[in-house]
PDB file of all heavy atoms in Angstrom:
ATOM      1  N   ARG A  81     -35.922  28.158  11.552  1.00 91.00           N
ATOM      2  CA  ARG A  81     -37.072  29.051  11.723  1.00 91.00           C
ATOM      3  C   ARG A  81     -37.575  29.543  10.370  1.00 91.00           C
ATOM      4  O   ARG A  81     -38.780  29.559  10.115  1.00 91.00           O
ATOM      5  CB  ARG A  81     -36.707  30.236  12.608  1.00 91.00           C
ATOM      6  CG  ARG A  81     -36.596  29.892  14.058  1.00 91.00           C
ATOM      7  CD  ARG A  81     -36.415  31.174  14.885  1.00 91.00           C
ATOM      8  NE  ARG A  81     -36.022  30.857  16.228  1.00 91.00           N
ATOM      9  CZ  ARG A  81     -36.879  30.524  17.192  1.00 91.00           C
ATOM     10  NH1 ARG A  81     -38.154  30.458  16.931  1.00 91.00           N
ATOM     11  NH2 ARG A  81     -36.449  30.262  18.403  1.00 91.00           N
ATOM     12  N   ASP A  82     -36.640  29.953   9.490  1.00 91.00           N
ATOM     13  CA  ASP A  82     -37.026  30.411   8.153  1.00 91.00           C
ATOM     14  C   ASP A  82     -37.717  29.300   7.376  1.00 91.00           C
ATOM     15  O   ASP A  82     -38.716  29.537   6.696  1.00 91.00           O
ATOM     16  CB  ASP A  82     -35.798  30.903   7.365  1.00 91.00           C
ATOM     17  CG  ASP A  82     -35.249  32.219   7.893  1.00 91.00           C
ATOM     18  OD1 ASP A  82     -35.967  32.900   8.655  1.00 91.00           O
ATOM     19  OD2 ASP A  82     -34.102  32.563   7.531  1.00 91.00           O
ATOM     20  N   LEU A  83     -37.176  28.107   7.467  1.00 89.00           N
ATOM     21  CA  LEU A  83     -37.760  26.966   6.773  1.00 89.00           C
ATOM     22  C   LEU A  83     -39.179  26.701   7.273  1.00 89.00           C
ATOM     23  O   LEU A  83     -40.101  26.509   6.477  1.00 89.00           O
ATOM     24  CB  LEU A  83     -36.889  25.721   6.964  1.00 89.00           C
ATOM     25  CG  LEU A  83     -37.343  24.455   6.266  1.00 89.00           C
ATOM     26  CD1 LEU A  83     -37.265  24.636   4.754  1.00 89.00           C
ATOM     27  CD2 LEU A  83     -36.498  23.274   6.693  1.00 89.00           C
ATOM     28  N   ALA A  84     -39.363  26.733   8.582  1.00 89.00           N
ATOM     29  CA  ALA A  84     -40.695  26.490   9.150  1.00 89.00           C
ATOM     30  C   ALA A  84     -41.672  27.585   8.737  1.00 89.00           C
ATOM     31  O   ALA A  84     -42.827  27.314   8.406  1.00 89.00           O
ATOM     32  CB  ALA A  84     -40.601  26.396  10.670  1.00 89.00           C
ATOM     33  N   GLU A  85     -41.217  28.839   8.737  1.00 91.00           N
ATOM     34  CA  GLU A  85     -42.090  29.951   8.355  1.00 91.00           C
ATOM     35  C   GLU A  85     -42.449  29.900   6.873  1.00 91.00           C
ATOM     36  O   GLU A  85     -43.556  30.250   6.489  1.00 91.00           O
ATOM     37  CB  GLU A  85     -41.432  31.287   8.690  1.00 91.00           C
ATOM     38  CG  GLU A  85     -41.361  31.561  10.176  1.00 91.00           C
ATOM     39  CD  GLU A  85     -40.543  32.793  10.513  1.00 91.00           C
ATOM     40  OE1 GLU A  85     -40.082  33.502   9.591  1.00 91.00           O
ATOM     41  OE2 GLU A  85     -40.348  33.050  11.710  1.00 91.00           O
ATOM     42  N   THR A  86     -41.513  29.436   6.048  1.00 90.00           N
ATOM     43  CA  THR A  86     -41.749  29.373   4.606  1.00 90.00           C
ATOM     44  C   THR A  86     -42.603  28.163   4.236  1.00 90.00           C
ATOM     45  O   THR A  86     -43.581  28.283   3.502  1.00 90.00           O
ATOM     46  CB  THR A  86     -40.409  29.291   3.845  1.00 90.00           C
ATOM     47  OG1 THR A  86     -39.595  30.395   4.236  1.00 90.00           O
ATOM     48  CG2 THR A  86     -40.615  29.323   2.359  1.00 90.00           C
ATOM     49  N   LEU A  87     -42.216  27.003   4.747  1.00 90.00           N
ATOM     50  CA  LEU A  87     -42.897  25.772   4.357  1.00 90.00           C
ATOM     51  C   LEU A  87     -44.156  25.482   5.161  1.00 90.00           C
ATOM     52  O   LEU A  87     -45.047  24.787   4.674  1.00 90.00           O
ATOM     53  CB  LEU A  87     -41.949  24.582   4.484  1.00 90.00           C
ATOM     54  CG  LEU A  87     -40.867  24.463   3.432  1.00 90.00           C
ATOM     55  CD1 LEU A  87     -40.050  23.203   3.670  1.00 90.00           C
ATOM     56  CD2 LEU A  87     -41.443  24.446   2.041  1.00 90.00           C
ATOM     57  N   GLY A  88     -44.243  25.992   6.375  1.00 89.00           N
ATOM     58  CA  GLY A  88     -45.374  25.691   7.238  1.00 89.00           C
ATOM     59  C   GLY A  88     -46.726  25.935   6.592  1.00 89.00           C
ATOM     60  O   GLY A  88     -47.554  25.019   6.502  1.00 89.00           O
ATOM     61  N   PRO A  89     -46.986  27.152   6.089  1.00 90.00           N
ATOM     62  CA  PRO A  89     -48.284  27.409   5.457  1.00 90.00           C
ATOM     63  C   PRO A  89     -48.523  26.556   4.215  1.00 90.00           C
ATOM     64  O   PRO A  89     -49.641  26.098   3.974  1.00 90.00           O
ATOM     65  CB  PRO A  89     -48.219  28.897   5.094  1.00 90.00           C
ATOM     66  CG  PRO A  89     -47.156  29.473   5.962  1.00 90.00           C
ATOM     67  CD  PRO A  89     -46.195  28.369   6.231  1.00 90.00           C
ATOM     68  N   LYS A  90     -47.479  26.331   3.425  1.00 90.00           N
ATOM     69  CA  LYS A  90     -47.632  25.502   2.215  1.00 90.00           C
ATOM     70  C   LYS A  90     -47.944  24.057   2.580  1.00 90.00           C
ATOM     71  O   LYS A  90     -48.758  23.410   1.927  1.00 90.00           O
ATOM     72  CB  LYS A  90     -46.361  25.562   1.347  1.00 90.00           C
ATOM     73  CG  LYS A  90     -46.060  26.929   0.802  1.00 90.00           C
ATOM     74  CD  LYS A  90     -47.096  27.330  -0.215  1.00 90.00           C
ATOM     75  CE  LYS A  90     -46.744  28.676  -0.812  1.00 90.00           C
ATOM     76  NZ  LYS A  90     -47.807  29.213  -1.634  1.00 90.00           N
ATOM     77  N   MET A  91     -47.294  23.529   3.627  1.00 89.00           N
ATOM     78  CA  MET A  91     -47.564  22.154   4.055  1.00 89.00           C
ATOM     79  C   MET A  91     -48.989  22.029   4.597  1.00 89.00           C
ATOM     80  O   MET A  91     -49.662  21.037   4.349  1.00 89.00           O
ATOM     81  CB  MET A  91     -46.554  21.711   5.116  1.00 89.00           C
ATOM     82  CG  MET A  91     -45.140  21.570   4.594  1.00 89.00           C
ATOM     83  SD  MET A  91     -44.997  20.351   3.281  1.00 89.00           S
ATOM     84  CE  MET A  91     -45.202  18.862   4.209  1.00 89.00           C
ATOM     85  N   ALA A  92     -49.459  23.049   5.321  1.00 89.00           N
ATOM     86  CA  ALA A  92     -50.832  23.026   5.838  1.00 89.00           C
ATOM     87  C   ALA A  92     -51.826  23.043   4.680  1.00 89.00           C
ATOM     88  O   ALA A  92     -52.827  22.315   4.695  1.00 89.00           O
ATOM     89  CB  ALA A  92     -51.061  24.207   6.770  1.00 89.00           C
ATOM     90  N   GLU A  93     -51.538  23.842   3.662  1.00 90.00           N
ATOM     91  CA  GLU A  93     -52.402  23.915   2.483  1.00 90.00           C
ATOM     92  C   GLU A  93     -52.436  22.569   1.761  1.00 90.00           C
ATOM     93  O   GLU A  93     -53.498  22.095   1.352  1.00 90.00           O
ATOM     94  CB  GLU A  93     -51.881  25.011   1.552  1.00 90.00           C
ATOM     95  CG  GLU A  93     -52.736  25.312   0.360  1.00 90.00           C
ATOM     96  CD  GLU A  93     -52.138  26.417  -0.506  1.00 90.00           C
ATOM     97  OE1 GLU A  93     -51.538  27.355   0.037  1.00 90.00           O
ATOM     98  OE2 GLU A  93     -52.267  26.304  -1.737  1.00 90.00           O
ATOM     99  N   LEU A  94     -51.282  21.948   1.600  1.00 87.00           N
ATOM    100  CA  LEU A  94     -51.199  20.640   0.943  1.00 87.00           C
ATOM    101  C   LEU A  94     -51.952  19.581   1.752  1.00 87.00           C
ATOM    102  O   LEU A  94     -52.696  18.783   1.186  1.00 87.00           O
ATOM    103  CB  LEU A  94     -49.737  20.235   0.771  1.00 87.00           C
ATOM    104  CG  LEU A  94     -49.475  18.887   0.121  1.00 87.00           C
ATOM    105  CD1 LEU A  94     -50.001  18.864  -1.309  1.00 87.00           C
ATOM    106  CD2 LEU A  94     -47.993  18.559   0.153  1.00 87.00           C
ATOM    107  N   ALA A  95     -51.778  19.583   3.068  1.00 87.00           N
ATOM    108  CA  ALA A  95     -52.468  18.603   3.920  1.00 87.00           C
ATOM    109  C   ALA A  95     -53.977  18.771   3.828  1.00 87.00           C
ATOM    110  O   ALA A  95     -54.719  17.785   3.789  1.00 87.00           O
ATOM    111  CB  ALA A  95     -52.001  18.751   5.366  1.00 87.00           C
ATOM    112  N   GLU A  96     -54.443  20.012   3.748  1.00 89.00           N
ATOM    113  CA  GLU A  96     -55.881  20.256   3.629  1.00 89.00           C
ATOM    114  C   GLU A  96     -56.403  19.757   2.278  1.00 89.00           C
ATOM    115  O   GLU A  96     -57.473  19.175   2.189  1.00 89.00           O
ATOM    116  CB  GLU A  96     -56.164  21.746   3.777  1.00 89.00           C
ATOM    117  CG  GLU A  96     -57.638  22.067   3.824  1.00 89.00           C
ATOM    118  CD  GLU A  96     -57.881  23.547   4.065  1.00 89.00           C
ATOM    119  OE1 GLU A  96     -57.141  24.155   4.861  1.00 89.00           O
ATOM    120  OE2 GLU A  96     -58.814  24.079   3.440  1.00 89.00           O
ATOM    121  N   MET A  97     -55.610  19.962   1.225  1.00 87.00           N
ATOM    122  CA  MET A  97     -56.019  19.529  -0.111  1.00 87.00           C
ATOM    123  C   MET A  97     -56.042  18.000  -0.210  1.00 87.00           C
ATOM    124  O   MET A  97     -56.964  17.422  -0.780  1.00 87.00           O
ATOM    125  CB  MET A  97     -55.054  20.084  -1.169  1.00 87.00           C
ATOM    126  CG  MET A  97     -55.431  19.698  -2.576  1.00 87.00           C
ATOM    127  SD  MET A  97     -54.401  20.376  -3.905  1.00 87.00           S
ATOM    128  CE  MET A  97     -52.816  20.618  -3.227  1.00 87.00           C
ATOM    129  N   ILE A  98     -55.067  17.331   0.391  1.00 84.00           N
ATOM    130  CA  ILE A  98     -54.955  15.874   0.298  1.00 84.00           C
ATOM    131  C   ILE A  98     -55.987  15.179   1.157  1.00 84.00           C
ATOM    132  O   ILE A  98     -56.599  14.199   0.749  1.00 84.00           O
ATOM    133  CB  ILE A  98     -53.535  15.420   0.696  1.00 84.00           C
ATOM    134  CG1 ILE A  98     -52.544  15.848  -0.371  1.00 84.00           C
ATOM    135  CG2 ILE A  98     -53.479  13.912   0.899  1.00 84.00           C
ATOM    136  CD1 ILE A  98     -51.110  15.592  -0.010  1.00 84.00           C
ATOM    137  N   GLY A  99     -56.191  15.657   2.356  1.00 85.00           N
ATOM    138  CA  GLY A  99     -57.107  14.976   3.274  1.00 85.00           C
ATOM    139  C   GLY A  99     -56.399  13.807   3.924  1.00 85.00           C
ATOM    140  O   GLY A  99     -55.264  13.922   4.372  1.00 85.00           O
ATOM    141  N   PHE A 101     -54.543  10.142   3.968  1.00 83.00           N
ATOM    142  CA  PHE A 101     -53.705   9.375   3.053  1.00 83.00           C
ATOM    143  C   PHE A 101     -54.331   8.044   2.670  1.00 83.00           C
ATOM    144  O   PHE A 101     -54.029   7.496   1.626  1.00 83.00           O
ATOM    145  CB  PHE A 101     -52.312   9.137   3.650  1.00 83.00           C
ATOM    146  CG  PHE A 101     -51.434  10.342   3.580  1.00 83.00           C
ATOM    147  CD1 PHE A 101     -51.141  11.067   4.725  1.00 83.00           C
ATOM    148  CD2 PHE A 101     -50.912  10.770   2.376  1.00 83.00           C
ATOM    149  CE1 PHE A 101     -50.331  12.190   4.668  1.00 83.00           C
ATOM    150  CE2 PHE A 101     -50.100  11.886   2.307  1.00 83.00           C
ATOM    151  CZ  PHE A 101     -49.818  12.601   3.461  1.00 83.00           C
TER     152      PHE A 101
END
Side-chain angles (χ1 to χ4, degrees):
R81 285 188 192 277
D82 289 344
L83 182 66
E85 289 172 4
T86 305
L87 286 182
K90 296 292 183 189
M91 293 300 288
E93 186 180 324
L94 179 63
E96 187 176 321
M97 181 177 29
I98 290 173
F101 283 107

